[in-house]
Amino acid sequence: DVKVTQSSRYLVKRTGEKVFLECVQDMDHENMFWYRQDPGLGLRLIYFSYDVKMKEKGDIPEGYSVSREKKERFSLILESASTNQTSMYLCASSRRLAYEQYFGPGTRLTVT
Amino acid sequence: DQQVKQNSPSLSVQEGRISILNCDYTNSMFDYFLWYKKYPAEGPTFLISISSIKDKNEDGRFTVFLNKSAKHLSLHIVPSQPGDSAVYFCAASARETSGSRLTFGEGTQLTVNP
């Protein structure tokens, strides 16, 4: 059974803070993804990685960076959090050539 | 530009009736389509998919139809059950994109009334 876990379910940070969101998958998947979900906008891809130390920008990478030092772990970093980054953040993983992605439970981030 | 669009933000149906959720896309390079279901406070879970070489795929109560010429797909749920109440996202992928990235629609909130 595929399991994707995220470090926090709820997080409250102040404007200007550096924020780390961690994601771990236990299925040896090559691909990992970070999305944010906002009402009326669906899921939008921030960054993804198809191998260790590899990363590619998604549709909305501005204000974010990522790190993938180990295959099972993919971190999303908000260098200086802003109120417009208040959102639900979802991590997902998939096998290299597979379309189906498996999602974690999400982190509800509030920036005040 | 929104390449995958779900024009109905919400849909309400009676238990036992058919639910039809619609999705349109603009990118002709998309060749694989998926539907995900999301309950509150949970991540999306995969429901059903279809390749562009098919026009229909069925799995129990769920059927997805693809009309390539119209760039339109739909998800049919028959019969609908209260436990089907959730947000449904359609997603699309193009074979040449790296890492099998998906482009998602905005989502449709389905409510099935007992």
Side-chain angles (χ1 to χ4, degrees):
Chain A
D1 200 21
V2 177
K3 191 136 189 200
V4 180
T5 56
Q6 295 184 228
S7 51
S8 305
R9 295 301 299 272
Y10 300 93
L11 211 50
V12 180
K13 295 292 181 181
R14 292 187 181 269
T15 301
E17 278 193 82
K18 191 168 186 175
V19 182
F20 293 87
L21 301 182
E22 302 282 336
C23 175
V24 178
Q25 51 94 5
D26 66 359
M27 284 304 293
D28 202 34
H29 285 172
E30 288 80 13
N31 304 327
M32 295 190 75
F33 307 82
W34 275 106
Y35 296 89
R36 61 179 283 177
Q37 182 197 355
D38 300 288
L41 296 177
L43 276 68
R44 293 180 294 165
L45 182 64
I46 305 171
Y47 267 97
F48 65 104
S49 168
Y50 51 88
D51 206 345
V52 176
K53 297 193 186 295
M54 304 297 287
K55 62 183 179 184
E56 286 201 25
K57 292 180 180 179
D59 299 317
I60 51 164
E62 297 78 21
Y64 304 95
S65 62
V66 290
S67 173
R68 188 147 181 222
E69 297 297 318
K70 293 186 177 181
K71 189 175 185 180
E72 68 272 16
R73 189 178 297 268
F74 193 34
S75 302
L76 180 70
I77 303 150
L78 287 66
E79 295 291 341
S80 178
S82 63
T83 55
N84 63 13
Q85 292 178 310
T86 291
S87 186
M88 169 68 81
Y89 289 88
L90 292 159
C91 174
S93 71
S94 71
R95 288 181 286 114
R96 184 175 301 286
L97 297 177
Y99 292 102
E100 183 182 342
Q101 295 179 14
Y102 297 84
F103 283 84
T107 296
R108 171 72 64 186
L109 172 66
T110 301
V111 182
T112 62
Chain B
D1 63 335
Q2 188 74 18
Q3 297 185 64
V4 178
K5 280 201 69 66
Q6 294 176 253
N7 290 312
S8 298
S10 63
L11 175 68
S12 183
V13 299
Q14 286 300 120
E15 181 178 6
R17 307 295 290 267
I18 185 171
S19 295
I20 300 176
L21 295 95
N22 294 302
C23 180
D24 297 294
Y25 62 96
T26 57
N27 188 341
S28 57
M29 299 303 293
F30 288 147
D31 59 2
Y32 200 84
F33 304 88
L34 307 88
W35 284 94
Y36 279 81
K37 173 178 173 179
K38 185 180 185 299
Y39 293 117
E42 295 182 14
T45 55
F46 169 75
L47 194 57
I48 192 169
S49 62
I50 188 166
S51 164
S52 59
I53 63 173
K54 295 186 174 183
D55 54 19
K56 177 183 173 181
N57 188 27
E58 199 168 349
D59 183 2
R61 296 186 298 114
F62 303 91
T63 303
V64 56
F65 296 91
L66 175 62
N67 182 333
K68 288 188 291 293
S69 60
K71 294 191 176 71
H72 176 83
L73 64 154
S74 60
L75 174 68
H76 292 211
I77 307 173
V78 182
S80 302
Q81 299 173 355
D84 295 329
S85 297
V87 178
Y88 289 78
F89 293 99
C90 73
S93 184
R95 191 180 299 113
E96 85 284 356
T97 61
S98 58
S100 300
R101 59 179 289 179
L102 300 177
T103 301
F104 284 83
E106 303 95 326
T108 297
Q109 171 70 57
L110 173 66
T111 302
V112 180
N113 302 299

